[in-house]
Amino acid sequence: MANELMDVKALRINLKTGDIKQENIDMELVKKYLGGRGLASKILKDEIDPKIDPLSEANKLIFANGLLTGTAVPTAGRYMVVTKGPLTGTIASSNSGGFFGAELRKAGWSLVIIEGKADKPVYISIKDSDVKINDASHLWGKTTDITTDTLIEEFGEKNAKVACIGPAGEKLVKFAAIINDKARAAGRTGVGAVMGSKNLKAIVVKGSERIDVMDKAAFMDAVKSKVDLIRKDPITGDGLPKLGTKVLDSIINQSGLYPTKNFQFGTFEYVEEVNGEALVNKGYLIDNKACYACPIGCGRDVVLPNGRKGEGPEYESAWAFGADCGVKDLIAISDANFMCNELGLDTISAGTTLACAMELYEKGYLPKEDLKDGPELTFGSSESLLYYLKKIAYREDLGDKLAEGSYRFAEGYGHPELSMSVKKQELPAYDPRGVQGHSLEYATSNRGGCHVRGYMISPEVLGVPEKLDPQSLEGKAGWVKVFQDLTAVIDSAGLCLFSSFALGADDYAELINVGTNFGLTTDEVLKIGERIWNLERQFNYEAGITPDEDRLPDRFKEPLPDGSQKGSFSHYEDLLVEYYKARGWTEDGIIPKEKLQELGIA
Amino acid sequence: MVRLNFFTLFRLELGIKSIDVEIEKEIKLSDLLYLAEKKANKKFIHKLIDSDGNLLNNAIILVNGKNVHHLQKLETIIKDGDELALFPPGGGG
Ligand code: SF4
């Protein structure tokens, strides 16, 4: 079958009735939302009541390729999983790389919309237009690595790609991930639990059609020029390939923003034991790895002295199990990361939830008897990491409560203020007290605590595209808006956010235009991002999540006790009104009707 | 004495963790970097400063934890006892 970039098709699969339908997506809608995060959010908002229980049958789970996913555009291997999230109750969209998304697009599908709930465990197989729902009883309970190997063998296509859940998704852990290609995760917001609630264990896919564009020569010229920019840039051409995301440990620690022991401190005394340099110097790093069509290759191929091997750990994951839990054992940290991939857990939420439990335990709020036979939950205990991760994934003993995420866990012990989360999702690896724009970004993220909705660390710490003073408030609200809108574009185009260290809004506009007949200006492309941002925000509002939840834990009103940002605290509240204004919302943070109309949402 | 600590790719590729430079009086950052390069006998300045002599936007040089982009950039005055952290451009997330 012909597979044109401008031919956007969806598979609609109802697991209750077994109906499988093919739909063509109107190109006017694609022009307004591009694909991936944008298009799937639009469909979700149109099709479900935002008030539903995320783990009920009424929720839908959408696997969505970006507009350019599967093409030769650098980093065009990304897909999103969009649904209503069980951890936050907000719209959830979780991004992943690897090869699964591109394979799905090569099979002809930009979207797979999953509805209903199967009576028993099933998996979906897709070979171009041959789509089936199959029994998965033999896979239920299996880890993601075994599930992936088994399915590839059964399917009889050794190059098939698999996205699946592990035991954590089956057990409806609120921060369960969907893992594709064994080590790439649609990690955040609990999308794996929604998949589990539908009794859907996996999707296996093999595609055979290249994607055609109208003007191939112009397209390849644009691709080549962007690959050159990425290769020449010191971050994407040198730092990320050689050190991966763990290039950040030393930078963030020296900048005093490296959250330690559940965000009580901003520097970690054992950072030299666990940083990216240590991963290389200790000889654990074997090679770098790249996702589909990626010239950067930030992935890590690691073999530990205990013989365990796998991909990672990434900066965020290693931090969550390292500094945040006070653990300095790089082997245990890496093992915890591998374990999360196998069990299907989000590393950031898992680590930060354990860190919260450690603080509750050390402060005496979590009684020892609740640990049953488990090791003491003290900061620095690498033994407890591995023990409790398993307990979480299978919801055993204390793991059942931890599986609800840090907010509900800490609330259950009477101290929700010790959960380092926004909208109930755990915060990642940057203390917001020392970076005011990033602080605002955390508070206003549409999917709860998250760093990849508008990565203000880039200008405020890393000097890309220019260096902003992290403590200054001036102009930050506007910066956050533009970063959030541009990120929504990148996610919806199907590209990796890391490409933005080398590429700017004009480059993305050029790539979108050269593959389509959209003829969009850069401003119009950013408007698409703004539309997506507002649509997500409106979904959340209709789900009952009000602007009151644009807030950070009270800890961040207290000054940082150590490091180079000692004494600073978060001023996000001072920025909120300016931010709402920059977005054209009311001063209370509500989107007025006129704004929704202007963006073509209402 | 001023200590310069090297991180990330500097540490791995130059094989230097830190070097100490004796200074007799206060000195400009740019001058200190040249002194340090000489002492280390390894080239690293080209990863921080462009061919026109300007500090790169994404070069990270901290003096006592403060980024020199928000001090006087290459004109920042370095005093005896100061501690520097040097990183070539880096990013992740
Ligand atoms: S930069 Fe890293 S995460 Fe992004 S596409 Fe490339 S290898 Fe994957």
Side-chain angles (χ1 to χ4, degrees):
Chain A
M1 85 188 159
N3 197 349
E4 306 275 339
L5 184 69
M6 292 283 283
D7 193 5
V8 176
K9 287 201 186 75
L11 258 182
R12 187 179 290 273
I13 301 177
N14 189 308
L15 294 177
K16 193 176 177 75
T17 61
D19 278 355
I20 300 173
K21 278 194 238 145
Q22 175 184 325
E23 292 172 9
N24 293 319
I25 305 290
D26 180 358
M27 283 317 279
E28 278 309 305
L29 205 58
V30 176
K31 198 171 171 182
K32 278 175 80 178
Y33 291 97
L34 298 179
R37 175 175 157 196
L39 188 57
S41 299
K42 165 70 179 156
I43 292 171
L44 190 80
K45 183 159 186 313
D46 283 353
E47 296 190 6
I48 72 165
D49 173 357
K51 290 195 178 60
I52 57 161
D53 171 356
L55 297 179
S56 70
E57 226 177 286
N59 199 2
K60 297 190 184 186
L61 180 74
I62 307 177
F63 287 75
N65 274 322
L67 177 68
L68 300 170
T69 306
T71 67
V73 169
T75 79
R78 316 289 304 186
Y79 75 98
M80 303 287 296
V81 182
V82 177
T83 187
K84 178 173 173 173
L87 185 64
T88 56
T90 64
I91 196 162
S93 40
S94 202
N95 186 303
S96 184
F99 295 83
F100 175 82
E103 197 67 30
L104 184 64
R105 188 63 181 82
K106 286 180 178 174
W109 308 109
S110 296
L111 300 156
V112 180
I113 305 165
I114 314 276
E115 305 175 335
K117 177 185 177 181
D119 295 337
K120 55 180 178 34
V122 294
Y123 74 90
I124 294 168
S125 59
I126 302 172
K127 193 171 175 188
D128 296 328
S129 55
D130 182 16
V131 182
K132 293 193 183 83
I133 304 171
N134 315 276
D135 177 42
S137 329
H138 61 303
L139 298 169
W140 208 248
K142 298 274 189 295
T143 52
T144 62
D145 49 330
I146 292 172
T147 302
T148 302
D149 287 341
T150 311
L151 273 181
I152 289 176
E153 200 175 323
E154 280 180 21
F155 196 50
E157 292 276 356
K158 73 175 190 322
N159 293 321
K161 307 296 174 204
V162 174
C164 63
I165 53 170
E170 296 170 14
K171 294 281 183 193
L172 312 182
V173 174
K174 291 234 160 56
F175 47 92
I178 295 173
I179 306 286
N180 59 280
D181 303 290
K182 287 189 183 176
R184 288 278 156 185
R188 306 230 63 199
T189 63
V191 291
V194 177
M195 191 155 161
S197 76
K198 300 196 166 301
N199 267 334
L200 177 61
K201 179 70 180 174
I203 301 179
V204 56
V205 62
K206 181 76 187 85
S208 60
E209 294 279 340
R210 291 167 63 97
I211 299 155
D212 287 332
V213 289
M214 286 179 297
D215 187 343
K216 218 173 190 169
F219 191 75
M220 288 318 291
D221 280 351
V223 166
K224 198 177 161 305
S225 76
K226 304 312 166 201
V227 170
D228 283 350
L229 287 175
I230 287 173
R231 289 228 161 96
K232 280 193 193 119
D233 181 88
I235 296 179
T236 49
D238 201 28
L240 275 170
K242 288 182 180 154
L243 268 172
T245 52
K246 278 181 69 57
V247 72
L248 284 177
D249 296 292
S250 301
I251 299 175
I252 303 301
N253 191 63
Q254 287 289 320
S255 303
L257 309 171
Y258 199 58
T260 296
K261 299 190 176 172
N262 201 31
F263 289 76
Q264 294 182 89
F265 307 98
T267 57
F268 185 41
E269 61 177 314
Y270 300 112
V271 67
E272 295 279 346
E273 291 287 318
V274 297
N275 60 16
E277 295 90 313
L279 195 71
V280 177
N281 285 334
K282 292 184 188 208
Y284 304 168
L285 180 70
I286 303 301
D287 204 354
N288 69 333
K289 274 199 135 169
C291 301
Y292 173 85
C294 178
I296 304 170
C298 76
R300 306 290 88 186
D301 204 355
V302 160
V303 178
L304 301 175
N306 62 11
R308 295 258 291 160
K309 33 183 165 178
E311 262 186 69
E314 302 293 334
Y315 168 68
E316 302 288 338
S317 311
W319 156 81
F321 297 123
D324 203 29
C325 289
V327 171
K328 60 174 177 176
D329 175 352
L330 190 52
I331 297 177
I333 291 167
S334 308
D335 250 338
N337 181 92
F338 298 161
M339 201 182 237
C340 281
N341 287 344
E342 290 159 12
L343 297 169
L345 284 169
D346 172 35
T347 51
I348 297 177
S349 282
T352 306
T353 298
L354 287 174
C356 169
M358 287 171 172
E359 189 173 352
L360 284 163
Y361 185 72
E362 289 201 347
K363 294 213 152 104
Y365 303 140
L366 167 59
K368 194 167 188 257
E369 58 266 25
D370 285 14
L371 308 185
K372 298 266 168 62
D373 299 327
E376 296 217 49
L377 263 168
T378 45
F379 284 114
S381 163
S382 48
E383 185 195 0
S384 69
L385 288 185
L386 303 177
Y387 179 89
Y388 290 103
L389 280 178
K390 232 178 183 165
K391 292 285 179 193
I392 291 172
Y394 292 98
R395 279 191 178 269
E396 290 166 359
D397 303 331
L398 190 69
D400 191 33
K401 286 183 185 166
L402 290 164
E404 293 294 300
S406 66
Y407 187 85
R408 293 173 181 89
F409 184 79
E411 194 181 36
Y413 286 100
H415 289 277
E417 76 283 2
L418 296 185
S419 163
M420 296 302 117
S421 59
V422 171
K423 301 181 179 85
K424 302 191 179 69
Q425 176 162 263
E426 290 70 23
L427 288 170
Y430 314 89
D431 194 303
R433 286 173 279 197
V435 258
Q436 301 303 337
H438 201 67
S439 190
L440 177 66
E441 193 272 321
Y442 277 166
T444 57
S445 156
N446 282 334
R447 66 168 194 179
C450 170
H451 61 297
V452 285
R453 282 297 173 275
Y455 189 61
M456 285 296 290
I457 295 300
S458 190
E460 292 186 294
V461 179
L462 307 172
V464 183
E466 61 184 270
K467 183 71 179 75
L468 301 181
D469 184 342
Q471 284 300 347
S472 162
L473 303 188
E474 213 188 311
K476 289 288 172 68
W479 270 88
V480 170
K481 174 185 180 296
V482 171
F483 262 52
Q484 289 173 336
D485 293 349
L486 181 61
T487 304
V489 168
I490 298 170
D491 283 345
S492 304
L495 307 182
C496 178
L497 193 52
F498 293 166
S499 63
S500 66
F501 287 119
L503 308 180
D506 292 337
D507 297 304
Y508 295 113
E510 186 191 336
L511 287 167
I512 290 164
N513 286 328
V514 77
T516 63
N517 60 2
F518 292 168
L520 299 164
T521 62
T522 301
D523 283 348
E524 285 167 337
V525 166
L526 285 170
K527 199 80 183 167
I528 293 174
E530 186 183 10
R531 179 176 302 123
I532 296 165
W533 190 266
N534 279 269
L535 180 115
E536 291 173 336
R537 171 96 173 176
Q538 189 60 19
F539 178 100
N540 292 347
Y541 185 67
E542 290 171 21
I545 292 159
T546 65
D548 291 345
E549 293 196 46
D550 293 341
R551 61 185 301 273
L552 298 184
D554 285 348
R555 171 157 290 166
F556 303 122
K557 289 183 188 162
E558 308 283 325
L560 257 168
D562 64 331
S564 58
Q565 300 281 355
K566 187 175 172 175
S568 20
F569 57 94
S570 173
H571 297 278
Y572 78 97
E573 283 170 325
D574 300 336
L575 286 170
L576 268 180
V577 174
E578 197 186 328
Y579 169 81
Y580 292 159
K581 200 167 160 207
R583 283 230 166 264
W585 301 343
T586 69
E587 60 182 31
D588 301 322
I590 311 262
I591 312 177
K593 230 199 193 123
E594 307 78 63
K595 186 75 196 175
L596 291 171
Q597 277 161 356
E598 175 206 315
L599 293 167
I601 295 171
Chain B
M1 189 190 79
V2 176
R3 173 158 293 179
L4 294 91
N5 295 312
F6 292 83
F7 293 97
T8 66
L9 284 184
F10 276 158
R11 184 176 299 179
L12 294 178
E13 293 182 345
L14 303 174
I16 310 171
K17 211 167 166 187
S18 68
I19 53 172
D20 295 336
V21 177
E22 294 294 343
I23 54 171
E24 279 162 25
K25 51 181 174 49
E26 294 181 348
I27 116 173
K28 278 198 304 195
L29 172 62
S30 50
D31 294 336
L32 175 75
L33 291 177
Y34 287 105
L35 279 180
E37 205 178 63
K38 216 165 146 194
K39 180 158 185 199
N41 199 20
K42 302 228 165 108
K43 297 262 175 240
F44 59 84
I45 292 181
H46 62 288
K47 298 226 170 177
L48 301 168
I49 297 175
D50 68 15
S51 47
D52 298 327
N54 299 313
L55 182 64
L56 293 171
N57 273 342
N58 50 13
I60 304 176
I61 304 177
L62 310 177
V63 176
N64 305 322
K66 299 271 173 273
N67 193 310
V68 297
H69 278 286
H70 313 302
L71 301 171
Q72 274 72 51
K73 300 195 177 178
L74 291 169
E75 305 288 310
T76 303
I77 298 298
I78 308 296
K79 298 184 295 302
D80 195 34
D82 283 347
E83 187 154 357
L84 279 75
L86 276 69
F87 309 78

